[in-house]
Amino acid sequence: MKLSVSGRATATAVVAAATLLATGSIAGAAPAPEPVAIAAAPDIPVTAVKAHLTQLQSIATANGGNRAHGRTGYRASLDYVKAKLDAAGFTTTIQQFTASGRVGYNLIADWPGGDTNQVVMAGSHLDSVSSGAGINDNGTGSAAVLEAALTVARTGYQPTKHLRFAWWGAEELGLVGSRYYVNSLSLANRARISGYLNFDMIGSPNPGYFVYDDDPAIEKTFKDYFAGIGVATEIETEGDGRSDHAPFKSAGVPVGGLFTGASRAKTAAQVTKWGGTAGQAFDRCYHSSCDTTANVNDTALNRNADALAHAVWTLSQ
């Protein structure tokens, strides 16, 4: 709307008065409080994330080719992640449950400090299917969450809110581990979680850039990050409700997350937006033996790992 001459004069006077008040130039006026600076997230080196993927691949190779629930490869994967977190100063907890006649485990890692009445969580499922090593699904999410947690420790980050990271077991059997965790929480402890961020497949070889359409503030945080690096996003629909955010959402916890696509084919319009191959699945090796370290797009993994860190830092201050 265009202002009239008198309107412009009035607006100018209002701005001038506001400026005087803000600077304390009017007698008796208190200075305006300084804005609180938001610490920017550090870069998450994709080489560090890939180093974790190499370890997960080696674990799978040494344990029958997979890291599935109830198998030795899963427990070895959990032990690898836990050792890294323990050495970095996290308080770690292993939560045990049973599914399909086998013992499963969740790993929870709390960073000391922050307001425990406001908990920001980031998590991923650590198990693979029995047919392969599960490096994109979901070594990529697990490795990126791990490296973000290690970066918190390495930088000595002290957020206002309390940070908690999680690696879920038996997701491939129907979100068993994450559901067990949520159901084990008291109503008061559920209410203390101000947001849960989920990362399940974030390095697909023919990638898309999908953001969960759930909590508006979390969704905006991710979209703003990608907009800032010039990458278009779409709303995630292929796996909606099929990953570990679902039990949190059902319990009333605000959720969000990232995804680079699974078995659905990339469209020509998406190729125009992101590159890649039209008519081909985002991940041709989804739930297959070829889901190895060769099945990861480094650019997508790097962008999503940095977006993960951006959300953790932004939402915890």
Side-chain angles (χ1 to χ4, degrees):
M1 180 177 65
K2 188 175 182 179
L3 287 174
S4 66
V5 173
S6 59
R8 285 198 297 270
T10 302
T12 301
V14 170
V15 171
T19 302
L20 288 169
L21 283 169
T23 58
S25 297
I26 294 178
E34 291 293 323
V36 177
I38 300 296
D43 177 72
I44 303 296
V46 72
T47 53
V49 180
K50 290 182 68 180
H52 300 312
L53 295 180
T54 298
Q55 292 299 315
L56 294 177
Q57 177 70 67
S58 296
I59 288 168
T61 301
N63 289 276
N66 68 72
R67 302 179 302 99
H69 163 74
R71 311 292 180 88
T72 55
Y74 179 76
R75 182 58 200 244
S77 299
L78 183 141
D79 289 343
Y80 168 77
V81 175
K82 183 178 186 299
K84 292 286 187 183
L85 295 163
D86 287 341
F90 282 84
T91 300
T92 58
T93 305
I94 294 176
Q95 186 179 52
Q96 183 174 311
F97 58 88
T98 302
S100 299
R102 294 175 181 263
V103 176
Y105 307 95
N106 295 324
L107 176 63
I108 312 299
D110 285 273
W111 181 238
D115 182 359
T116 54
N117 287 314
Q118 299 182 82
V119 179
V120 174
M121 286 190 73
S124 61
H125 75 87
L126 187 56
D127 63 315
S128 73
V129 292
S130 59
S131 59
I135 297 303
N136 185 40
D137 185 18
N138 183 37
T140 52
S142 294
V145 171
L146 172 58
E147 192 56 32
L150 296 178
T151 302
V152 166
R154 187 167 53 249
T155 59
Y157 178 48
Q158 293 298 326
T160 305
K161 298 180 183 179
H162 181 76
L163 285 179
R164 181 174 299 154
F165 299 88
W167 291 263
W168 310 116
E171 187 271 355
E172 298 291 4
L173 299 185
L175 321 181
V176 179
S178 55
R179 184 173 290 114
Y180 183 86
Y181 173 80
V182 172
N183 289 343
S184 73
L185 295 173
S186 66
L187 291 177
N189 283 334
R190 288 184 193 179
R192 291 186 176 101
I193 303 174
S194 60
Y196 171 72
L197 315 176
N198 195 59
F199 304 93
D200 188 353
M201 301 179 65
I202 58 171
S204 302
N206 189 29
Y209 293 88
F210 299 99
V211 176
Y212 292 8
D213 180 21
D214 287 296
D215 180 74
I218 297 174
E219 180 184 344
K220 183 178 186 302
T221 300
F222 285 124
K223 286 183 172 180
D224 286 350
Y225 175 80
F226 282 108
I229 62 170
V231 175
T233 57
E234 290 185 9
I235 295 301
E236 197 281 296
T237 57
E238 182 179 6
D240 191 28
R242 291 170 48 195
S243 193
D244 294 298
H245 60 293
F248 288 87
K249 184 177 180 178
S250 295
V253 175
V255 301
L258 300 176
F259 177 59
T260 51
S263 56
R264 187 174 294 176
K266 180 180 275 190
T267 66
Q270 289 169 330
V271 169
T272 300
K273 189 181 299 183
W274 297 319
T277 305
Q280 186 180 104
F282 293 102
D283 183 358
R284 290 186 295 174
C285 292
Y286 178 62
H287 283 187
S288 300
S289 60
C290 59
D291 188 7
T292 65
T293 49
N295 189 48
V296 173
N297 182 288
D298 288 359
T299 299
L301 182 63
N302 187 35
R303 288 170 172 172
N304 280 276
D306 287 339
L308 185 167
H310 170 76
V312 167
W313 259 254
T314 302
L315 295 170
S316 63
Q317 297 183 65

